[in-house]
Each structure stands twice: as C-alpha cells, then as structure tokens.
Amino acid sequence: MTVKEFIPSPYTKSVASGKTTYKSPSNIALVKYWGKKENQIPANPSISFTLNECATVTTLSYRKVDGPNDAFSFEVSLDGKKEEGFKPKIKTFFERVYPYLPFLKEYHFEIETSNSFPHSSGIASSASGMSALALCLMEIERNLIPAMPAEFFNRKASFLARLGSGSAARSIKGSLVQWGEHAGTEGSSDLYGIEYPYKVHSVFNDYCDTILLVDKGQKQVSSTVGHDLMHDHPFSKQRFDQAHANLSKLRSIFEGGDLDGFIGLVESEALTLHAMMMTSRPYFILMKPNTLEIINRIWAYREATKTHVCFTLDAGANVHVLYPKNEKVLVEGFIADELAGYCQNGQFIHDHVGRGAQKIN
Ligand code: PMV
C-alpha cells in the first residue's frame, strides 16, 4: 500500500458527537528500531512482543463545531487531571495525521487517558498512548465510513500511530508485530506494522517479560534525539544491515523454538542499541550501574540453572527480563530474591505477551 491509500474519499456520512474508548498495550522490541528517515520512516525493520499488562486506556469524546476550526481544538487529561504538558505532542500528531483524517478540524475533542503503569516509571507510554489515540480516531472514521473492512481499520490505525511515535505502529494487533520493510517478510511495510506472518513455536506463547524499574527519572536524551544521531553515525550502515540480518535469522528461531538462538540475538540487539548511543556524537549512556548488575546476575543465574532467562533494554535504564512461561515459577523467585534489590523502591512489573489493543466502548 502507498501513503495515498490512507487518504479517504470525501465522507458521505456525518456524525455530530460521540465517545469511544480503547485500551492499547506497550510493546518491547526484540530487533530494535533506532534511526529514522523523514516522515517517521524507519531506517531499519524491527519486531516486538506486544505486552499485556502495561497499557494505556484512552477515551475520546468528540462533538462537531459550528464551522471548521482554523486550529485543532482539544483538551487532554491524565488520570482525571488536565495535562497541558501533553498538548504540544498531540498537536504535532494532529498536524501529521490531518491529511489522512480530514475531519479533525470539524470537531472539538476531549482526550482522557490513563496508564496502567506508574507515571514516570521510565516505561515509555508513547507506544501505548499514541496507538490508543490513533484507534479512537479510527473509530470516528469508521462511523463516517461504515463499510470499512477490519483489516484496513487496523492497518490505518498502525499507520497513524506510527506518525505519533514509531514504535506505536507495533501496538495495534497481534502478539509479535513487525514494522519496516524486510525482504524476507512478506507484506512488511515501512508505513505500518503487520502481525508476524510465519510459524511461531508454542514455547513463545505467553512469553514472560518482567520489567525491572531501575531508574524512574527523566531520560537525559529523548528517543527523538537518539534517532537523529544515527544520521551521521559511523556505524549506521552496519547497524541497519545487521537488523535486516537478525530479522532473517529470527525466522528459523521462531519456527523451531530455538531458545538459545533467541537469547543470543535478543541480548545482542539490546547491547547494540546502547552501543549505538555510546558511539554517536554526542555520545551518551542511558544504562545505570544497576542495569549492569542485573545483566550480570541474569547471566550468572542462566549459567548456573540452565534456564532460558535473558534480558533486553529499551532506550533507558530499565531491564526487561524475558523467559518462557514454563520457567515462570523459578525465574519469578530469582527476580524477587536477587534482582528486586537493584530496582528503585524494589519495583518491578510482571507482564507477558498479549494480543493487542481492545475496544472498551
Ligand atoms: O517510538 P520511539 O520513537 O520512542 O522509538 C523507540 C525506540 C526503542 O524503544 C529504543 C526501540 C524500539 O524498537 O522500540
């Protein structure tokens, strides 16, 4: 599909007002997206597990205004409190998606949002937040175009979410979602995420992810700045090629349930992401001493127990501990006994792979 196919024909129906609610999950990348081109086109393809517990619930109320507004008209609240701080990001999002949702200036919107995870836990809420908002907006469009096929609905929701935050494109539908064109993955696109189309061994069903909250402070470097630093990065070409190669390798790993192959690839991806940060100019480090303590503990535990626990990182100090469901009891014990002490206030969140966003209302 091309960008043009997401521009609707003039609407023939009209809707005066309404309200819709979506719950949309966060996701954790296995092959990382780091670096982008213009218009939120990723420099390399990525793939993620969809999470289940870490999610954003967004209610969008809308009512038609008398004549079309010159500017976007909206209010936004987090946990029932007005959040002026969110407005610039949403305004930018509206500007980017306006060509694809021409009804936007005809309505006033109230956006009420809440996260299941603690605010400023260092867990990125952009993927869940932007995908939830994109889904609510698509619900309005579905009212204007009732014949819209479900597949197109999800695809366009992912397309729009991507324009809010790249990784949000992977938070619409499916447990394992790939975003970005890759020669080895049929149907893959830079414009939206797709459910991974190949066989996945049952050992990856309900895979567990415990998120260790190592540092809940504000990140020193935003992911927007980090993506930009890949432009003149000395290793960018090798990195982008490696992401393609890793996606190709994942195919047999997923199909055969090759956990050792999975662990090696996923941990290398996480460390490569941070290596890119450490080797950009300016360089920066988002890991904290406790991030490294945890990684070493995980390695020692895996060696001693022959379990299949491994880690991945996103753009921050928190550690995602990944393990198969059949090792849950053992690994959860290890986390409580040996890793919780490295978390801020002992905090961690047990999560597992989910199926994607849900319409609540
Ligand atoms: O969606 P963004 O622009 O915040 O970028 C997210 C980048 C990583 O989380 C570091 C990796 C990924 O693929 O999710």
Side-chain angles (χ1 to χ4, degrees), residues 27 29 31-34 46 126 165-167 170 223 227 273 314-315:
N27 66 68
V31 172
K32 308 288 181 181
Y33 150 58
W34 198 242
S46 58
S126 59
S165 169
S167 56
R170 302 187 308 241
S223 52
H227 287 296
L273 169 70
D314 53 22

Side-chain angles (χ1 to χ4, degrees), residues 43-118:
N44 66 258
S46 58
I47 191 164
S48 52
F49 274 147
T50 302
L51 296 182
N52 196 65
E53 303 301 323
C54 292
T56 297
V57 175
T58 296
T59 298
L60 183 66
S61 310
Y62 50 99
R63 79 180 142 73
K64 212 154 183 172
V65 289
D66 284 342
N69 302 313
D70 292 334
F72 301 111
S73 171
F74 65 95
E75 292 298 333
V76 54
S77 62
L78 174 69
D79 299 328
K81 275 201 229 104
K82 282 245 154 36
E83 241 322 331
E84 294 298 318
F86 285 3
K87 279 187 141 180
K89 205 165 179 198
I90 294 177
K91 182 169 174 267
T92 304
F93 175 62
F94 277 1
E95 279 161 3
R96 287 185 190 163
V97 299
Y98 183 52
Y100 312 102
L101 298 174
F103 63 81
L104 279 182
K105 287 192 178 164
E106 292 169 21
Y107 288 88
H108 173 75
F109 300 99
E110 300 281 341
I111 306 163
E112 295 166 77
T113 188
S114 65
N115 295 325
S116 67
F117 40 87

Side-chain angles (χ1 to χ4, degrees), residues 67-283:
N69 302 313
D70 292 334
F72 301 111
S73 171
F74 65 95
E75 292 298 333
V76 54
S77 62
L78 174 69
D79 299 328
K81 275 201 229 104
K82 282 245 154 36
E83 241 322 331
E84 294 298 318
F86 285 3
K87 279 187 141 180
K89 205 165 179 198
I90 294 177
K91 182 169 174 267
T92 304
F93 175 62
F94 277 1
E95 279 161 3
R96 287 185 190 163
V97 299
Y98 183 52
Y100 312 102
L101 298 174
F103 63 81
L104 279 182
K105 287 192 178 164
E106 292 169 21
Y107 288 88
H108 173 75
F109 300 99
E110 300 281 341
I111 306 163
E112 295 166 77
T113 188
S114 65
N115 295 325
S116 67
F117 40 87
H119 188 48
S120 71
S121 57
I123 297 182
S125 57
S126 59
S128 53
M130 285 299 172
S131 54
L133 184 55
L135 283 159
C136 289
L137 292 171
M138 280 309 293
E139 201 56 46
I140 302 179
E141 185 161 78
R142 177 151 56 190
N143 287 332
L144 300 172
I145 312 175
M148 183 186 296
E151 197 183 333
F152 180 82
F153 177 96
N154 286 326
R155 192 170 281 184
K156 184 164 172 181
S158 171
F159 171 87
L160 299 174
R162 181 194 106 246
L163 294 170
S165 169
S167 56
R170 302 187 308 241
S171 273
I172 303 292
K173 184 168 184 284
S175 298
L176 198 50
V177 180
Q178 186 183 319
W179 164 49
E181 214 170 302
H182 171 241
T185 313
E186 228 179 297
S188 57
S189 169
D190 284 345
L191 300 179
Y192 46 81
I194 59 163
E195 280 194 79
Y196 189 66
Y198 302 116
K199 198 178 153 216
V200 179
H201 191 278
S202 60
V203 75
F204 294 108
N205 290 352
D206 296 323
Y207 218 73
C208 301
D209 177 4
T210 299
I211 304 145
L212 307 179
L213 306 179
V214 172
D215 186 68
K216 303 198 288 174
Q218 192 74 28
K219 281 192 274 183
Q220 310 126 289
V221 180
S222 70
S223 52
T224 309
V225 172
H227 287 296
D228 266 359
L229 291 174
M230 288 304 283
H231 279 126
D232 293 313
H233 196 288
F235 307 134
S236 58
K237 183 176 184 312
Q238 295 92 323
R239 163 59 198 151
F240 301 147
D241 289 349
Q242 179 197 43
H244 281 268
N246 278 344
L247 264 168
S248 300
K249 285 181 195 158
L250 270 177
R251 182 142 172 205
S252 62
I253 290 174
F254 280 138
E255 181 166 355
D258 172 9
L259 286 179
D260 292 336
F262 178 80
I263 290 168
L265 190 146
V266 165
E267 291 190 345
S268 163
E269 274 287 325
L271 294 179
T272 301
L273 169 70
H274 284 256
M276 290 299 112
M277 299 172 188
M278 288 191 250
T279 48
S280 60
R281 297 299 292 267
Y283 41 78

